[in-house]
Amino acid sequence: MTTLTDPPREGFRLSQLIYDTRYRSMTIQVVALIGFLVLIGWLISNTAQNLADLGKEPSFRFLSEPAGYDINQRLIDYNNQHSHFRAAVTGVLNTLLVAVLGCIAATILGVLIGVLRLSKNWLVSRLMAVYVEIFRNVPVLLWIVFIMAILIESLPKPRSFRGPDAETSMSLFGSTAFSNQGVFIPRLVPANYFWVLILVVIVSVLGIRFLRRRADKIQEATGDRPKTFLASLGVAIVPFLIAFFAITAVTSNREQAFIGAGIQGVGTLEEFATEKGRISYCHAGGDAGSLNGLRFLEANDVQMRRRQYFSPSASLDAMAVGKCDLVTVAASRTDSTIVELKDRCFINNSTHLQKGIDKARAIIESGEGDVEKARTTIETNTGLIEKARVKCQALPLSVLPTTFTEGKAIEVELPAISEKGIPRFEGGTHLRNSLIALWIALSLYTAAFIAEIVRAGILAISHGQSEAAAALGLRPNRIMSLVVLPQALRVIIPPLISNYLNLTKNSSLAIAVGYMDITGTLMGITLNQTGRELETVLLGMLIYLAISLSISAVMNWYNNRMKLVER
């Protein structure tokens, strides 16, 4: 009698990694991965060694150094004394600004043109086809330069707006100026407690969403959808108006005062203006009280040399270093503002001296360099710092009472042409031609591609859908908005994401017209000044990657929301 047992299992042998088909593909992938990592490591090591030989070891310390250059279009406060890091942030915000504006305009134009391409009107459909073929077959860089040239050559110069015999006038009831230096539009200037209005708007949006979801639930449960238009309108307008008038009631009673520099002991604005002559007013753009101070000076015919525009913080810095004579502050803050002005004066006059002392102390501690010269520097700078302290504490400042208040919750600042000196527009918001040219060119160029995507999405919907909707009595525009486009969005959105990404990356062509985006600031002037090409380009690539991934994440989220929900 015999007993059958399972055959013994064979052990693993190294040769199986090559000759056994179960392991061969895995072996090849592991070897390829190791080779790739070795190649990357060799490139990084070789680059680091070459940079070390050149005395350019990788470092990002240059980001904290003063940039030393100006940026013409900016969303945040910036001047050439700010750091390269702030210049890069300003460039990133400019990139985001043109990307957001371009995506919105290109989407609106693209959808409109895509729908009109399918129009039964022969002329309209052919015109839209010509538009698409022209714009998508010419490089976007040429469109940017072409539109910039049109803006510069066709729009009037600022001097055309000046004087009683002006050749041209401002548009839109005197509120907007189109010139060859750009477009100047009104600017909304918030008073204190503006954050309350923003909070009210956020709460109103949440309230409208609540009403809409409640209507959806009622419709799903009963089949009838309650009307929410009037309720939503009330939620949007009534709380905002209540908050606006409540804030206005507070800020309209908030008294303001002038602080004058250069003369001490005067008690009124008239005395200050008489002794000073023409006053240089330090106007803090974005501050309602400062705007009303400017209006007060103009209404009382106070002679002004020039309106200086700063941010609220920079206006005090400018006065502390003697760039202007007059600034507006709240009457309750005059004492604290005088103390702050003296402190800012001392900081501005002593910072570079203190840096010299720190550097000299480092030389003495290390023993490397001219130690005797370092000791002399410490002694000299210490004396100069003490003189700066005495000088700033004795800064001649005067508090000048006024009769105006901070004003309404939101004030409107209109642009105006300067009456003296070189013709230029003051006040309002300045949209430079470089921004407008870039925005228009990117929008028109990308809209041609989006139009084709929209056309393809509409054609992907069965014609029977439109016929069924027509049989129910819907008009063509309602069929398009309620039946065709909602279904076509599922086809349109995925390729639309790629076009948004292309528009954002194409904004790097802004340097061609002098628009200072991230390419012009960090990867342009900062790179040339610091010689840190590896670090700046690496940072630029990471920033573009982060922006692109953010756009993709948002659009993919929206795409998932638009997908069919199966029960």
Side-chain angles (χ1 to χ4, degrees), residues 17 20 24 35 55 57 100 106 116 183 239 248 291 331 337 359 364 368 393 415 421 427 440-441 445 502 544 565-566:
L17 294 176
D20 193 327
R24 186 183 302 157
E57 296 180 357
V100 171
L116 291 179
V183 178
T248 299
L291 176 61
T337 303
K359 189 175 179 181
I364 295 172
E368 298 178 356
Q393 286 301 318
I440 294 176
Y445 179 78
N502 288 337
Y544 274 114
V565 180
E566 297 181 358

Side-chain angles (χ1 to χ4, degrees), residues 289-322:
S290 182
L291 176 61
N292 280 329
L294 179 63
R295 291 171 177 168
F296 182 84
L297 294 174
E298 291 174 339
N300 288 276
D301 295 328
V302 176
Q303 295 294 318
M304 287 188 290
R305 185 181 298 114
R306 185 177 179 180
R307 303 169 182 173
Q308 302 282 354
Y309 285 81
F310 302 95
S311 67
S313 175
S315 63
L316 296 181
D317 275 333
M319 173 171 269
V321 297

